[in-house]
Amino acid sequence: MGSIYCVPVGNVNKDMITMAERYLNGMFGMHVESCSPMPDPLFALDEKRKQYSSTLILRKLAERRDDRAVRYLGLTELDLYIPMLTFVYGQAQLSLPTDPVFAHGRVAVVSLARLAPEFYELPPDRDLTARRARKEIAHEIGHTLGLVHCGNRSCLMSLATEILELDMKSQDFCRDCWNKLQENLTLLGAETNHRENLES
């Protein structure tokens, strides 16, 4: 079916990278490739906000994406924003199944900055941070696989704008989103195999 490429953006704890790669493989059933890090993206830094534009980082990730990657995930410890929001946990290009090979939504980025309890002046908890990261990774990769926000507050595809909303989600997709995901993964696998056969 192809591979998901995992790209550290700036300095990222290696344990979190390893966790993300294993999780992506298990959740989506795709091979995961490690990529060389993207240097600290100063081009995306807003000096006044002391935050980084997730949109500009997505754009840069898309430019350097390897054609063999069916999906491309940037993982960063930098604090991300989009202009209309104070911050974002992540952002993705939404893919539509009507696109050829889901061509327009292959790249996502997830920030770990606000997932650690230390950000809220609480004691460190690596398990909690990793659990939050897995939820956000699944959510953003879900967007690249054609899933939209879900009204079921326990579903991974529900919108979380606060850390409590993220914590309230389960670690699973609801039945409707899971069925849609499986349908889209089947389409993606068929399209990818077709393209690889044409190239060989």
Side-chain angles (χ1 to χ4, degrees):
M1 181 187 298
S3 299
I4 298 176
Y5 281 44
C6 189
V7 187
V9 178
N11 292 323
V12 182
N13 181 294
K14 288 183 179 178
D15 290 344
M16 294 302 289
I17 295 291
T18 301
M19 178 280 297
E21 291 173 349
R22 289 178 179 166
Y23 176 69
L24 285 166
N25 177 263
M27 176 59 86
F28 297 99
M30 289 191 230
H31 180 69
V32 180
E33 297 273 348
S34 298
C35 296
S36 57
M38 173 191 286
D40 200 337
L42 294 176
F43 61 88
L45 175 63
D46 184 309
E47 293 281 0
K48 291 182 180 176
R49 298 178 66 131
K50 306 295 184 196
Q51 291 176 300
Y52 292 76
S53 165
S54 55
T55 303
L56 293 178
I57 293 173
L58 271 186
R59 190 174 302 160
K60 185 62 74 174
L61 285 170
E63 288 173 4
R64 63 175 274 174
R65 184 181 62 80
D66 189 305
D67 285 341
R68 292 169 296 179
V70 293
R71 292 297 176 268
Y72 213 66
L73 172 70
L75 195 63
T76 186
E77 295 185 5
L78 302 170
D79 196 19
L80 302 180
Y81 79 96
I82 59 175
M84 68 178 66
L85 295 175
T86 306
F87 70 91
V88 291
Y89 296 121
Q91 187 179 0
Q93 298 174 325
L94 178 63
S95 181
L96 300 174
T98 52
D99 298 335
V101 202
F102 300 87
H104 302 297
R106 295 186 178 191
V107 181
V109 61
V110 168
S111 169
L112 304 171
R114 294 175 184 251
L115 304 183
E118 301 94 294
F119 183 87
Y120 308 95
E121 300 181 355
L122 296 171
D125 185 335
R126 294 178 62 82
D127 290 341
L128 177 59
T129 303
R131 187 163 57 248
R132 289 170 172 171
R134 287 192 293 269
K135 291 179 183 180
E136 192 56 29
I137 288 168
H139 182 94
E140 299 304 341
I141 291 295
H143 281 315
T144 72
L145 292 169
L147 299 182
V148 296
H149 286 148
C150 178
N152 181 339
R153 300 303 299 168
S154 66
C155 175
L156 280 173
M157 291 312 298
S158 66
L159 175 63
T161 58
E162 298 177 3
I163 200 66
L164 290 179
E165 291 176 325
L166 186 60
D167 287 342
M168 288 172 58
K169 290 185 190 182
S170 77
Q171 297 188 65
D172 297 307
F173 296 99
C174 70
R175 180 181 297 181
D176 288 345
C177 287
W178 178 253
N179 289 340
K180 185 66 177 174
L181 176 66
Q182 295 309 307
E183 180 183 319
N184 289 348
L185 284 172
T186 300
L187 287 172
L188 178 63
E191 291 281 352
T192 304
N193 290 338
H194 177 67
R195 185 182 59 189
E196 289 174 351
N197 288 336
L198 290 176
E199 292 172 352
S200 63

